[in-house]
Amino acid sequence: MMAGMDRRQFCALAAGIGATIAAGGHCRQAGAAVPQGTAADRWMNRALAKQTSPAEAAVGVLFMGRFRDPMYFLTSPISWHPDSGQSGYLAPIEVPKGFVTDLASIPRVFWSLLRPDGEYAHAAVIHDYLYWTQLRPRDVADEILRRDMHDLHVDRSTVTKIHAAVRTFGGSAWDSNAVLKASGEKRILRIFPDDPSILWSDWKKRPDVFT
């Protein structure tokens, strides 16, 4: 069925091209009750349900503050949602307000070619959060990065380069984050700095600023 087409339009198109639905099946006006007993009606319901299923999407405008050193914090949450039919390993992910990131999903060695705050920054923050929390396997985090970039309409060549870079070089960032977390470092702020000269290296020493 063509996207955006309701039952009435679909029936009209089917009639117009001489299509015939299975024996016993029939088209009804939009909004009318549909009997569930026929194969044709069950097929119709499944096809229409696909049009209303939530689509894969990047959600939330990226609003960030910055410390004096190149470390950033979200001032509002963002999220990524998979297609409704995808398996659980690509479950929705939300990055909370206050998450601190260095945008290092783009390995620093590539920053001269791929700026860390480019059009893929939303996907990079989602990826950084997954690398920090490590609630999903690393390969799943990298796949969500790839899909989020597609949702942001980043060109395919850039998506391919970034995804290849994190698959090749991301292991060190993953391991480094595990060490930092084990040492007690936190990354979710509840209090934001109001002095632009504050360094992250100093702010993170204050236990009262974290959730």
Side-chain angles (χ1 to χ4, degrees):
M1 185 179 302
M2 297 178 68
M5 187 177 297
D6 63 21
R7 185 182 299 276
R8 182 176 56 197
Q9 291 169 324
F10 179 80
C11 291
L13 177 61
I17 62 175
T20 302
I21 299 180
H26 53 280
C27 290
R28 294 175 177 264
Q29 291 184 348
V34 179
Q36 299 298 314
T38 68
D41 286 322
R42 289 194 297 272
W43 174 86
M44 178 80 80
N45 286 338
R46 287 195 300 270
L48 287 170
K50 290 179 180 178
Q51 296 188 71
T52 58
S53 297
E56 181 176 298
V59 179
V61 176
L62 196 59
F63 292 108
M64 294 193 295
R66 180 186 154 150
F67 291 94
R68 192 172 116 198
D69 37 359
M71 294 292 290
Y72 306 83
F73 52 90
L74 285 182
T75 58
S76 62
I78 62 170
S79 60
W80 177 84
H81 298 268
D83 289 330
S84 60
Q86 291 173 340
S87 57
Y89 88 106
L90 289 178
I93 183 73
E94 178 172 297
V95 183
K97 173 182 175 179
F99 174 63
V100 177
T101 174
D102 58 1
L103 296 178
S105 280
I106 311 304
R108 291 179 184 272
V109 68
F110 295 105
W111 280 12
S112 61
L113 300 174
L114 298 167
R115 51 186 290 178
D117 60 344
E119 59 184 338
Y120 34 73
H122 183 285
V125 174
I126 296 282
H127 188 252
D128 284 356
Y129 181 72
L130 290 168
Y131 262 47
W132 178 255
T133 60
Q134 302 188 356
L135 297 175
R136 317 271 175 95
R138 183 178 154 235
D139 62 325
V140 173
D142 294 345
E143 176 62 12
I144 289 174
L145 170 69
R146 187 183 71 83
R147 288 172 178 265
D148 197 354
M149 287 191 290
H150 279 304
D151 297 337
L152 295 167
H153 308 295
V154 178
D155 69 87
R156 287 184 177 273
S157 64
T158 299
V159 171
T160 299
K161 290 172 187 175
I162 292 175
H163 185 254
V166 297
R167 292 306 301 149
T168 303
F169 301 102
S172 59
W174 181 274
D175 294 342
S176 175
N177 283 345
V179 171
L180 290 171
K181 285 176 64 180
S183 71
E185 181 161 321
K186 298 180 179 180
R187 288 286 179 92
I188 311 295
L189 297 174
R190 69 179 184 87
I191 300 175
F192 299 160
D194 55 11
D195 180 350
S197 68
I198 292 291
L199 295 167
W200 163 245
S201 56
D202 293 328
W203 193 254
K204 70 179 181 179
K205 295 175 182 176
R206 296 179 49 178
D208 60 309
V209 301
F210 296 98
T211 58

